[in-house]
C-alpha cells in the first residue's frame, strides 16, 4: 500500500500507556496527516511504500513537544525584561505598548520558528491581535492552539498597587475579535488550528465579561485559556476590587471547571491549588519564565498530587527568554527537585511526558496529539543522538536516552520536525518558513519598537535601566 | 605590523572593570597566543595585518568560558545516574568501577569536545588517572587546569552510612601520580596546562595525607582543588570518624586558606560558608549537577556576601548531564532567584562574569584569562547573534545581548572558539579534534562498561533500576 510518509529510526518513545512506551526497531507509516501504522521495521517496509521515506539511523522518534502557553509575538523584544521587579509594567509595557499588528505578526513568526526548530509541534499561543499568529501557524504547518486575548484594560503606565481602569469598549471589541477568529479559523485544516477563548486574567476583565466569555466558550465547545493566580500584582488587584483572593473570586463566578486551562498558579496557596485541580481545571507550568520573572517555582507538584493534569509552557521571550521545550524540561526537573529538596521527584520520564502527552491532555488535545499511536495525528520529531550532548547511547542495563533528552538536550539536536504528517524541518533546515527573512523582519521591527520605547524605559528607572547606566549590560 | 590573528566583530564584552565592559565596533589583534591590542576596528585594520583574519559580522566577542570543575571522563556514561538517592554508590560506582584508563581517556575526549563546542576555553578537570585527559587538553589546544585525584578509598560497594576503609597504598600511589604529572606537565606550552593537587574530599583521604597534600601543593606554587562539604554522605563519614562536621575538621587541619578551591559547599551552614570565604578560599558552584543529584542550591550567595569569589562548574555528565556553560549560567540565575524568592539577584551580568572573569579568579587564573585585555591570553569566543534564540539584537534603550546569552543561549550559537590564540572551532566545526572518531570511540567504551556494570546496577535496586523495569526509561 502506498502512503504519504514512512519514518524509520532505531529508537522510539510513543508515550502510550503510563510510561514512555519505549520500543526499538519500530517504524511508522503516515497517511493523510495521521499515523496509519506502527510496527517492526521489517513489517512496515514490507507492507508500505511511500513518496517520502525518512531514514534516521541514529535518532530517537518521539511525539512533537506541546508548548501549552506562549506569547510568540514578544520575540520582537527578546531579552529586554528580566532581573527586575514590576516586570509587566516596568519591563514589558514600554515595548509592548508600541507594538503594531505588524510587530506582533513578525514576532510571532520568530517565536514559532524558534519553537519548531527546537521540536515543538503544537503552539499554544496567547495574545491580542492574533490574526497574524494564526496565519503564521497555518503557513508554517504547525498545530496551533490559539487563544485570542480578551482584556478590558489599556496600556497606561500603572504603578504597583494602582487599580486598573476597565474600558468596556476594549472588552467588547476584544471579545468580538475572538469570536470572529473562532468563526473563521476554528478546526481549520482538519482541526490543526483550534481557537480558544483567552481572557487575560481575573484582574484584566470585569466579572460580567469573565462569566460571559466562559459561557460562550462552552457553548462553542472550546476551552478557556487564562492566566490564573499569577502573582502579587493580580492578588492586589482582586483584593482591592472584590475583597478576596483570585481563586475564591473566580470560583464564586463558577468559572473554575474542566473547561479551564489555568496558567501559572504562581501565588496560589496549596488549598487554592487543590480546589482548582478538584474542579477539573488543568494547569500550565512555565518554570523558566516564572523563575526569571518572579523567582518562584509554581505549585505543579501540589496540583498533580490532587489528581490534576499539568503541561509545560515557554511563555515569552522577554523574561524566559526562549521558546524551547528542552529548556522547560530541564528547569522543571531541577527547580522542583530544589524546591522540595530531593532528587527523586520530577524524574526525567515524568517531565518528558509533561512535555508531550500530559501537555496535550492539559490543553484538550489528548485524543489528537502528544503520543505516537495509530489514528492520532502524525506530530513527531526525530532527535539526533549522535550529538555530543546526547552521546553515547546506552540501552542496558540503564537506558540513558530519556535522561539525556531532559537533562542534556539543548534543542539543536532536533533533526526533523513533522506536524500533521508534513515535514516542517528536515536536517535542522526549515522547510515551511524562511528563517533569514524572519530574522531580518524582526530586527527591523525591534529597531522601530525600541526607539519608541526609549522615553518610557528610562522613566521606569528599573533595575535594568540602572544596569544600562553602569556598564552592566 | 604583522600578527597571528585579527578578530573583527560588532559587539564585544571584555569583562574588564567591574561590569561587562561592553564596546561596539572594536577589534582585537592577537600575537603569540596573547591579546596584543584592542581598539576601534579602523585603527586595528590600519595598524595590523595577519595571516588569519576572522570577520564576524553579526557576532559578539567575549572571553571563553571557564569551567572550574569537571569530570570529563564520565562522559562515557552520560545520563546513567539521576533522579535517585545515593548517587555516588548506587548510580556512578557500578559504571565507574569498570572504567579503564582507555575508558577515561575516551570519555575525557567527549567531555572536552562538548565543552569546547559550547564555548569553554578553560577546562577545570578533576579525576584519577589523568594522563589521558592532560594529553587531550594538549592536543585539543584548550587551556587545562587539571587536578589529578588523590584518594585512599577503593570502589567497594559501600552502603549509606558505612565508614570507608582507607588504604594508605592507594593514597600514596595517587599522590605519587599527581606529583609525576605535576613535574611532567605543569606550565606546559607557556602555562596553558596547569596541574593542581586534587584530594577528592575530606572523607576520601586521611588527615595525615590531607595535610601533606596541601603542604606539597603550596611548596610547588599550585592550588588545591577539592570537593568540599559536598553533602550528607561526607557529613556522615566525618562525623563518624572525627566527631565533627567537615568544615570544622578541615579548618582544624589548617587547610582552608587562599590556596584552596572549595567545590560545592552543598551542605555547609551559613557560618561554615562564611568561615570558608573569610579564610580566603574560593568556591566553585555546580548548580546543575547539584540540583539534579541532591535537589539543592548551594550557598554561593552567602559565599559572595562574605567577600568570596565564585566560579561555575559543569561537574559530570551522569547527573548534570552536560558540559555546557550556557546551561550553568541559566540554571545558576534561575535556581538562586527561586531559592531566595526574588528576580533581582544573580542578574545576567553577574552570572556572565561568574562564567568568565570570576571563574578565572576562582581557580587562580585571573591574571591570565577570563577577560579581554591587552597582555592576557587570547582565550575568546564568537557567538552568532543571528540565531533564533539570540535575535533580535537590541542595543538601546536596553541592551539585550547579555540577558539573551544567559537566559536564551543554548550553546550551538557559539561559532568560533579561540584558546591561547589558536582557533579550536570555526563556524561550529572542530579544527583541533575529530568529533566523529570521538563519538565512535566513546560508544564502543560505553558498550563495554555498560555490560560489565550490569550485575551491580541491578543489585542496587535504585529508583532508576525500578524505572527500567516499569517502562519509564
Amino acid at each position: 500500500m502506498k502512503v504519504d510518509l514512512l519514518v524509520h529510526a532505531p529508537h522510539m518513545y510513543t508515550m502510550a500507556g503510563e510510561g514512555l512506551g519505549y520500543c526499538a526497531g519500530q517504524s511508522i507509516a503516515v497517511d493523510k496527516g495521521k499515523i496509519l501504522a506502527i510496527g517492526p521495521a521489517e513489517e512496515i517496509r514490507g507492507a508500505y511504500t511511500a513518496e517520502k521515506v525518512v531514514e534516521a539511523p541514529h535518532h530517537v522518534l518521539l511525539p512533537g513537544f506541546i508548548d501549552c502557553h506562549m506569547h510568540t509575538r514578544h520575540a520582537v523584544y527578546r531579552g529586554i525584561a528580566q532581573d527586575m521587579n514590576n516586570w509587566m509594567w516596568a519591563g514589558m509595557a514600554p515595548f509592548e505598548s508600541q507594538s503594531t499588528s505588524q510587530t506582533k505578526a513578525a514576532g510571532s513568526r520568530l517565536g514559532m520558528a524558534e519553537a519548531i526548530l527546537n521540536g515543538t509541534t503544537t503552539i499554544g499561543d496567547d495574545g491580542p491581535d492574533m490574526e497574524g499568529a494564526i496565519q503564521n501557524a497555518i503557513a508554517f504547518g504547525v498545530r496551533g492552539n490559539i487563544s485570542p486575548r480578551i482584556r478590558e484594560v489599556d496600556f497606561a503606565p500603572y504603578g504597583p498597587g494602582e487599580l486598573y481602569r476597565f474600558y468596556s469598549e476594549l472588552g467588547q471589541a476584544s471579545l468580538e475579535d475572538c469570536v470572529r477568529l473562532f468563526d473563521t479559523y476554528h478546526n481549520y485544516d482538519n482541526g490543526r488550528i483550534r481557537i480558544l477563548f483567552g481572557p487575560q486574567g481575573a484582574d484584566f476583565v470585569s466579572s460580567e465579561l469573565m462569566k460571559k466569555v466562559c459561557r460562550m466558550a462552552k457553548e462553542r465547545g472550546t476551552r478557556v485559556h487564562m492566566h490564573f493566580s499569577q502573582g502579587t500584582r493580580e492578588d492586589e488587584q482582586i483584593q482591592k476590587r472584590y475583597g478576596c483572593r483570585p481563586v475564591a473570586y473566580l470560583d464564586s463566578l463558577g468559572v473554575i471547571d474542566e473547561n479551564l486551562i489555568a496558567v501559572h498558579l504562581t501565588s496560589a496557596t496549596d488549598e487554592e491549588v487543590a480546589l482548582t485541580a478538584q474542579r477539573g481545571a488543568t494547569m500550565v507550568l512555565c518554570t523558566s519564565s516564572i523563575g526569571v520573572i518572579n523567582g518562584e517555582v509554581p505549585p505543579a507538584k501540589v496540583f498533580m498530587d490532587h489528581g490534576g493534569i499539568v503541561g509545560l509552557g515557554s511563555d515569552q521571550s522577554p523574561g524566559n527568554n526562549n521558546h524551547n521545550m528542552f529548556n522547560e524540561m530541564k528547569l522543571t526537573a531541577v527547580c522542583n527537585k530544589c524546591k522540595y529538596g530531593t532528587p527523586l521527584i520530577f524524574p526525567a520520564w515524568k517531565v518528558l511526558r509533561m512535555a508531550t502527552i500530559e501537555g496535550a491532555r492539559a490543553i484538550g488535545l489528548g485524543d489528537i496529539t502528544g503520543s505516537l499511536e495509530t489514528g492520532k495525528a502524525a506530530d513527531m520529531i526525530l532527535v539526533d543522538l549522535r550529538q555530543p550532548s546526547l552521546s553515547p547511547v546506552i540501552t542496558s542495563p540503564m537506558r540513558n536516552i530519556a535522561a539525556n533528552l531532559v537533562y542534556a538536550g539543548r534543542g539543536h539536536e532536533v533533526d526533523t520536525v513533522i506536524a500533521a504528517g508534513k515535514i516542517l524541518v528536515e536536517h535542522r533546515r526549515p522547510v515551511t518558513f524562511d528563517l533569514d527573512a524572519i530574522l531580518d523582519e524582526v530586527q527591523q521591527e525591534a529597531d522601530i519598537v525600541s526607539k519608541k520605547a526609549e522615553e518610557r524605559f528610562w522613566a521606569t528607572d528599573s533595575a535594568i535601566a540602572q544596569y544600562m547606566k553602569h556598564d552592566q549590560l
Side-chain angles (χ1 to χ4, degrees), chain A residues 299-427:
Chain A
K301 181 179 181 299
V302 180
F303 198 85
M304 292 190 284
D305 287 347
H306 286 89
I309 295 171
V310 178
L312 304 180
S314 65
D315 217 349
Q316 80 295 302
S317 5
N320 175 347
N321 294 333
N322 57 11
H323 295 296
N324 183 323
M325 294 303 283
F326 288 94
N327 173 62
E328 296 310 318
M329 290 196 292
K330 175 137 197 184
L331 280 160
T332 293
V334 173
C335 288
N336 277 284
K337 288 177 198 298
C338 291
K339 179 174 182 172
Y340 294 99
T342 168
L344 298 178
I345 64 167
F346 288 73
W349 69 273
K350 280 200 182 170
V351 175
L352 198 51
R353 284 181 61 87
M354 292 171 82
T356 53
I357 184 63
E358 300 301 329
R361 285 179 183 153
I363 57 171
L365 299 180
D367 295 334
I368 294 170
T369 186
S371 62
L372 303 182
E373 296 179 85
T374 305
K376 288 188 93 169
D379 295 352
M380 51 201 187
I381 60 175
L382 284 160
V383 182
D384 182 2
L385 300 174
R386 201 176 154 79
Q387 291 285 323
S389 50
L390 303 178
S391 286
V393 175
I394 297 174
T395 55
S396 168
M398 165 71 186
R399 193 179 302 118
N400 68 351
I401 302 171
N404 285 339
L405 288 172
V406 170
Y407 292 115
R410 305 296 297 166
H412 73 278
E413 305 91 341
V414 173
D415 178 274
T416 301
V417 179
I418 297 166
K422 190 172 171 184
I423 295 176
L424 314 190
V425 175
E426 189 166 22
H427 302 323

Side-chain angles (χ1 to χ4, degrees), chain A residues 148-225:
Chain A
R149 175 168 296 175
I150 298 152
R151 160 174 171 145
E152 278 181 295
V153 178
D154 63 347
F155 280 99
Y158 289 101
E162 192 182 342
L163 200 63
Y164 309 156
R165 280 186 63 185
F166 287 149
Y167 298 88
S168 62
E169 63 276 21
L170 290 178
Q172 189 57 29
S174 57
L175 175 59
E176 279 169 17
D177 189 51
C178 180
V179 170
R180 179 184 67 79
L181 294 170
F182 181 89
D183 292 343
T184 313
Y185 295 112
H186 189 62
N187 281 330
Y188 178 88
D189 192 15
N190 295 314
R192 180 162 67 82
I193 305 296
R194 309 258 290 210
I195 308 296
L196 289 69
F197 278 50
Q200 184 169 351
D203 47 340
F204 284 101
V205 294
S206 63
S207 307
E208 296 65 39
L209 185 60
M210 181 66 81
K211 283 193 284 190
K212 186 176 176 185
V213 164
C214 293
R215 194 183 65 237
M216 287 176 70
K218 245 178 229 171
E219 287 165 2
R220 283 162 180 76
T222 193
R223 298 239 177 165
V224 173
H225 174 113

Side-chain angles (χ1 to χ4, degrees), chain A residues 212-253:
Chain A
K212 186 176 176 185
V213 164
C214 293
R215 194 183 65 237
M216 287 176 70
K218 245 178 229 171
E219 287 165 2
R220 283 162 180 76
T222 193
R223 298 239 177 165
V224 173
H225 174 113
M226 179 164 68
H227 297 96
F228 187 95
S229 197
Q230 69 169 322
T232 48
R233 193 203 66 229
E234 179 180 336
D235 290 352
E236 284 170 13
Q237 292 285 323
I238 299 299
Q239 191 69 43
K240 213 165 201 168
R241 205 183 290 276
Y242 309 108
C244 61
R245 290 180 47 80
V247 176
Y249 160 67
L250 289 169
D251 201 43
S252 77
L253 300 186

